[in-house]
Amino acid sequence: MAKNNALNLHHNEIHEKRWAIVSISSIPLIMTLGNSMLIPILPLLEKKLDISKVQSSYIITVYSIVAIFLIPIAGFLSDRYGRKIVIIPSLIISGIGGIISGWAAWQLKDPFSVILIGRILQGIGAAGGLPIVLPLVGDMFQREKDVSTTLGIIETSNTLGKVISPILGSFLAGFIWFLPFLSIPVFCLISLLSIIFLVKKPNNDKAGLKFKDFLHNTREVFKEHSRWLLAVFAIGAILMFILFAVLFYLSSTLEDQYHYHGVKKGFILAVPLAALCLASYIAGKVIKENLVLMKWIIFSSIILTGIAVVAVSFSDQFMFLLIVFLICGLGIGASLPCLDAIITQTIEKNIRGTVTAFYSSMRFIGVAAGPPVMAYYMKSNSTFLFIILAFLSLIGAILAFLAVRPSNENETEKNPSHTTV
């Protein structure tokens, strides 16, 4: 009877927090839209702004570069002062950045530089938004199973943003070419209001460690767990690099080689992203708190991704490419919630925000590097780049196999600050 009551209590906890989960899920959705929505319209921006393919990739890259450096700071502030205190101003800054980029595109004769300034502000907002979601979810629930399930939903929301973004970006740009920039403030406002009114501060929330103590604890965690932490960081960067390089390639190829434009191109781009979204959702439901299962899903999924990117060089037929990129999306999508859960389930709450922030920074490095590197190689030899992507996949798989080594039999004797990995 007591066991059933405990189960019902946990079930009621996740049910009672369903609207908070929806609100939190809006952050990765919107931050993803703020970046990925522009990928399908980059060829259009090149024409409207009279810029090169490499310059258009900067519109994606500056957003990510700023976030890379500011995410660790935002992580510490969230550990010290609270998650909402960091998330709320971040959404406001991101909205202001969208307004500046949209206004510049609308009013200025040579708006490219000011658009980049707006994108930098959006990157600042992204630094304090998306990465803070992971530790916030870890704070909300008592059971690791509930954390894993919710992280699967969060990662699905993130990937859902990638699915919607090419369609929505193309649709909005079909009316006014700079409308995608101006849509960001609207989305940020919706998310801001939902976070303010629907996400409550955890009952056991208290001020985090002072900087000196925090620095000591963080150093100790990295000293003890550097092997698997650095491996997870590297895998996250590799997967995001592959994803955004592939998206940039597919967007340009659909327009330049197959002459797909607008919403039709957006729907085609959404196919591999929908596979990524579905894989993230299923993986989040399946893994629960099973760290061993997480490892093998990550390993096998990266192998699948590597096989897919190698296959790109075999044929340039449209359906073949679409199927290959769909498989690539499945591989990346299955890995992401596992990587999220490994970190949030093994790191102590008072430094969880910072550790996940470092992880998010590494992911943003991949996001920042993917488009310009692909743009550069598309001018000369894109096949060579796909060989590089396959080699990176192999490195990721080796890291997952050798460095991520969960030990479930030791979990009952785990240190209060972390789980054995």
Side-chain angles (χ1 to χ4, degrees), residues 45-71:
L45 295 180
E46 291 163 20
K47 296 172 186 174
K48 294 291 185 179
L49 301 174
D50 192 26
I51 57 176
S52 68
K53 196 175 290 293
V54 173
Q55 284 177 303
S56 74
S57 72
Y58 295 160
I59 295 174
I60 304 297
T61 299
V62 295
Y63 175 96
S64 304
I65 288 176
V66 173
I68 289 166
F69 292 103
L70 293 181
I71 283 172

Side-chain angles (χ1 to χ4, degrees), residues 266-319:
F267 272 104
I268 296 171
L269 281 171
V271 171
L273 292 169
L276 190 149
C277 180
L278 179 63
S280 288
Y281 178 75
I282 293 173
K285 296 285 284 184
V286 167
I287 57 176
K288 298 182 172 61
E289 65 267 34
N290 191 331
L291 293 171
V292 174
L293 181 60
M294 293 176 201
K295 170 187 174 154
W296 290 112
I297 289 178
I298 293 168
F299 174 77
S300 57
S301 298
I302 297 173
I303 293 292
L304 184 66
T305 301
I307 293 171
V309 293
V310 166
V312 174
S313 59
F314 293 167
S315 173
D316 61 355
Q317 293 297 312
F318 172 73
M319 284 305 300

Side-chain angles (χ1 to χ4, degrees), residues 24-33 130 133 154-155 157-158 161:
I24 294 169
S25 298
S26 71
I27 297 174
L29 176 64
I30 289 168
M31 295 302 177
T32 301
L33 285 175
L130 179 56
V133 167
I154 297 299
E155 200 61 70
S157 178
N158 190 352

Side-chain angles (χ1 to χ4, degrees), residues 14 28 33 35 87 134 155 159 188 206 215 276 279 289 319 326 361 392 394 396 403 405 408 415:
I14 204 167
L33 285 175
N35 213 24
I87 288 173
L134 301 183
E155 200 61 70
T159 54
C188 286
K206 56 184 179 181
L215 199 62
L276 190 149
E289 65 267 34
M319 284 305 300
L326 185 148
S361 289
L392 288 174
L394 178 61
R405 303 167 96 180
N408 279 348
N415 185 295

Side-chain angles (χ1 to χ4, degrees), residues 106-153:
W106 182 16
Q107 296 291 336
L108 300 183
K109 185 173 290 186
D110 187 17
F112 181 62
S113 297
V114 181
I115 287 174
L116 291 183
I117 292 172
R119 294 289 293 161
I120 288 170
L121 285 175
Q122 281 186 261
I124 294 172
L130 179 56
I132 310 305
V133 167
L134 301 183
L136 178 57
V137 170
D139 297 345
M140 286 174 60
F141 300 101
Q142 299 176 36
R143 294 195 307 171
E144 300 298 350
K145 177 181 177 181
D146 295 336
V147 173
S148 297
T149 300
T150 306
L151 284 173
I153 295 171

